[in-house]
Amino acid sequence: SFPPDPSAFMSGSRDTTIRVWDRRTDRSIGVFGKIGKTGLIHAHDGMVTCIDALNTNMILSAGMDTKVNCWDLRSLGSQGGNAPIATLSLDGSAILKVALGGAPSTAAVSTLLGLYIVDFSSTQPVPQLAVPFQDGRRIGRYHDLKWGERRSVLYAAGDDMRIDFYAFR
């Protein structure tokens, strides 16, 4: 995932951290997360499964701890100690993928149990469960989500070997 600076990229890990790296120096320039009781930094309570960022300061991370955290890139610290600006737990299952982009503060979030569209414009994110298909198919476990060029279409690829399309107005 890429923050607004093209020389930087982010990684999430089993050690529950989110790091920002500088390609020019091959080292971490900062880490997101709170310092825990053991002195280690944790962005999540379980493995980080995905990260997404747009050309804004908003970064989303998700993990096995069933939470989506919203971070502000401007709060990046080299030693951690920063908290997310918003946290959301959806249905109690692990988060597979997040994709920012429907609107400036909107994200698609895929869990083991469903697909949600979430408005992160406030500190209290507002989720909506995706509308079921008219033909009765179940909404898949989507391992990849991508917003279309015009941001009104979401492409979702899942474990059923299909790509589903969601249209938004």
Side-chain angles (χ1 to χ4, degrees):
S1 228
F2 295 91
D5 181 350
S7 64
F9 70 96
M10 295 178 293
S11 66
S13 178
R14 283 184 286 183
D15 71 0
T16 73
T17 63
I18 299 168
R19 296 188 183 280
V20 179
W21 302 86
D22 186 339
R23 293 183 230 207
R24 299 167 296 187
T25 63
D26 292 336
R27 53 171 107 159
S28 173
I29 57 174
V31 61
F32 285 105
K34 297 181 276 189
I35 299 171
K37 294 176 186 171
T38 62
L40 299 174
I41 297 170
H42 298 279
H44 283 269
D45 295 329
M47 181 177 78
V48 177
T49 56
C50 58
I51 301 170
D52 198 18
L54 282 176
N55 293 329
T56 65
N57 289 308
M58 181 186 289
I59 298 165
L60 292 183
S61 65
M64 297 301 289
D65 62 357
T66 75
K67 294 178 186 155
V68 178
N69 287 336
C70 183
W71 306 90
D72 186 332
L73 186 60
R74 296 168 293 197
S75 71
L76 180 67
S78 61
Q79 302 299 316
N82 52 348
I85 57 175
T87 297
L88 176 67
S89 190
L90 292 164
D91 58 22
S93 68
I95 313 272
L96 300 174
K97 185 71 176 172
V98 295
L100 276 164
S105 59
T106 301
V109 180
S110 174
T111 73
L112 288 173
L113 300 176
L115 176 67
Y116 298 83
I117 304 303
V118 182
D119 179 358
F120 281 94
S121 62
S122 75
T123 56
Q124 296 294 318
V126 179
Q128 289 186 320
L129 187 61
V131 177
F133 295 110
Q134 291 180 353
D135 64 6
R137 279 185 296 128
R138 73 171 183 84
I139 293 176
R141 291 181 176 172
Y142 298 121
H143 300 282
D144 202 5
L145 301 170
K146 177 85 172 158
W147 288 96
E149 222 175 273
R150 295 190 180 146
R151 304 287 185 208
S152 60
V153 174
L154 176 69
Y155 301 94
D159 57 2
D160 59 358
M161 308 300 281
R162 299 173 70 133
I163 296 177
D164 293 326
F165 302 89
Y166 293 87
F168 299 93
R169 295 180 189 195

